Amino acid sequence: MRKTSISKIAVVLLLVFSLTAFVGCGGNNENNASGNGKGDGVVTLRVGHVLSPEHSYQIGLEKFAELVEEKSNGTLKVQIYPSSQLGNERDLVEGMQLGTVEMGLISTGPIAGFVPEVMVLDMPYIIKSQEHAEKVLDGEVGAYIDEKFLEKGIRNLAWWEQGFRSIYNNTRPIEKPADMKGVKIRVMESPLMVDTFNIMGASSTPMAWGELYTALQQGVVDGAEGAAETAYTGGFGEVTKYGSLTKQFYSAVPLFIAESTFQKLSPEQQKALQEAAMEARDFERKTIREREAMFLKKMEESGVKFNEPDLTPFQEAVKPLYDKYAKDVGGKELVDKVIELGK
């Protein structure tokens, strides 16, 4: 081979090596956490949620992003993607497990398929008040479920909330369980939530949140259930006639990060992220609770007729589900512990 050919090959190889080294260093020195993420430049974390940009989820995450940047001295940044831009809640969980999504703020319903123990929080009427919820989530029960999440490759940084969920529909006011008969109602993708409404005579239809507004508008389903703010920002005031404050579920909301992403961060960044999540949790809970009455009033002004039924018949109707699901949610002992914390 001639010397000139060898020289050309050497030059090409040098250029390829230099380009590879440049890309490996991040180019502009701003890296996604799926890169090295060890404090070399700024690490960007994408967090997705399925609700609107006006929801307290978004407000809480904006506070979280501000705190993360401050506590990490600018080495961490959080980008927020509302309205299912990164996928529905199941997509987000699967993405974190695969390492294609860094973070997600996700309601408990769709997580049951990955971590059945989380369903203990979704047992109908098991959570009696906001104070009860905090004792459960911020104590031993919450920590136990967090360990189950870790086993599936996702880390819960803090338990946020959506509030108590009630029924909205176009058929009739729900004054007693028998009024649910024949009502086709959208529920989250959770077998426990499906059974909760079926046991009262409704026809439960699991459906992703992003499909719900159109389904209500076109009559594919007669109704849905959700917390006050979620119902308002989801457009229920435009596509439902009746709001019944049945409060069958308290909706806890974990703020997840992929464990693979978390482990790529420096100890200082991990600490900053955890502290920011806890502070933002308190801010988000306060925000969503303060805004609840306002959103109920807004829906009433838009034409939704509200009623407040006696909850006792509903609580009695769902009691068989406690025995049915005790084993799936971690055993009767865990169910009893949650109940005891509410006394």
Side-chain angles (χ1 to χ4, degrees):
M1 186 179 288
R2 293 187 306 175
K3 288 183 179 179
T4 52
S5 297
I6 293 172
S7 298
K8 287 179 181 178
I9 292 171
V11 169
V12 170
L13 289 173
L14 181 61
L15 286 171
V16 170
F17 176 80
S18 300
L19 181 59
T20 303
F22 175 75
V23 173
C25 289
N28 65 359
N29 205 37
E30 183 165 329
N31 305 307
N32 183 278
S34 59
N36 56 43
K38 288 291 185 181
D40 301 332
V42 177
V43 175
T44 300
L45 303 170
R46 297 167 303 157
V47 56
H49 69 89
V50 300
L51 300 181
S52 81
E54 291 77 38
H55 195 275
S56 289
Y57 272 21
Q58 182 79 12
I59 296 169
L61 287 172
E62 287 170 359
K63 181 69 172 178
F64 171 65
E66 176 189 316
L67 289 167
V68 166
E69 187 164 3
E70 175 190 314
K71 290 177 181 293
S72 70
N73 295 317
T75 66
L76 289 177
K77 286 187 178 179
V78 174
Q79 292 179 347
I80 307 162
Y81 292 82
S83 305
S84 305
Q85 290 178 38
L86 297 182
N88 63 41
E89 293 184 312
R90 180 172 289 274
D91 295 332
L92 289 171
V93 175
E94 291 173 347
M96 283 183 280
Q97 289 180 317
L98 294 170
T100 58
V101 176
E102 292 83 59
M103 297 187 67
L105 186 61
I106 299 172
S107 52
T108 51
I111 310 170
F114 304 89
V115 179
E117 291 84 356
V118 79
M119 285 194 294
V120 74
L121 304 175
D122 294 331
M123 299 285 270
Y125 298 105
I126 198 168
I127 300 294
K128 304 299 182 186
S129 66
Q130 293 161 339
E131 294 73 24
H132 181 199
E134 290 178 9
K135 287 181 183 178
V136 172
L137 298 175
D138 303 339
E140 292 180 13
V141 174
Y144 170 78
I145 298 171
D146 288 346
E147 287 298 320
K148 297 298 179 182
F149 291 147
L150 269 178
E151 291 172 9
K152 298 298 182 180
I154 47 180
R155 176 181 290 264
N156 180 22
L157 295 172
W159 288 99
W160 293 19
E161 74 172 18
Q162 202 178 117
F164 285 94
R165 306 172 70 93
S166 293
I167 299 169
Y168 297 82
N169 83 100
N170 287 310
T171 304
R172 65 181 74 90
I174 307 300
E175 293 284 1
K176 54 189 181 300
D179 293 331
M180 292 294 298
K181 188 172 183 179
V183 177
K184 192 172 184 180
I185 185 165
R186 177 267 178 184
V187 298
M188 289 194 285
E189 298 162 279
S190 160
L192 173 58
M193 293 186 175
V194 168
D195 280 352
T196 295
F197 292 101
N198 285 351
I199 204 171
M200 291 188 283
S203 175
S204 299
T205 304
M207 182 183 295
W209 176 259
E211 303 169 15
L212 177 56
Y213 181 88
T214 302
L216 284 167
Q217 192 176 45
Q218 296 179 351
V220 175
V221 292
D222 302 313
E225 56 85 40
E229 182 173 357
T230 306
Y232 176 77
T233 57
F236 286 19
E238 303 165 10
V239 290
T240 61
K241 298 176 182 177
Y242 307 105
S244 302
L245 302 182
T246 45
K247 300 181 180 180
Q248 61 277 347
F249 304 121
Y250 166 85
S251 192
V253 185
L255 176 60
F256 283 141
I257 182 168
E259 182 63 6
S260 58
T261 297
F262 188 78
Q263 292 304 329
K264 289 174 184 174
L265 304 178
S266 70
E268 294 77 17
Q269 289 172 324
Q270 290 176 350
K271 183 173 183 286
L273 199 67
Q274 187 69 72
E275 288 180 355
M278 298 295 275
E279 286 186 33
R281 172 202 70 187
D282 296 341
F283 174 82
E284 189 266 353
R285 286 177 180 175
K286 183 173 184 289
T287 301
I288 208 160
R289 292 171 190 180
E290 287 177 346
R291 285 155 57 101
E292 181 178 34
M294 174 182 72
F295 288 114
L296 288 173
K297 184 177 180 182
K298 283 178 177 289
M299 281 188 285
E300 189 172 38
E301 289 172 350
S302 70
V304 177
K305 297 177 181 177
F306 282 94
N307 67 291
E308 293 190 53
D310 176 10
L311 300 185
T312 304
F314 295 89
Q315 293 164 347
E316 290 296 320
V318 301
K319 273 186 177 179
L321 299 179
Y322 281 56
D323 290 332
K324 179 178 179 179
Y325 281 92
K327 184 178 179 181
D328 293 333
V329 304
K332 187 175 184 298
E333 184 179 347
L334 185 64
V335 174
D336 290 343
K337 187 171 184 61
V338 173
I339 294 170
E340 185 64 30
L341 287 168
K343 293 179 179 177

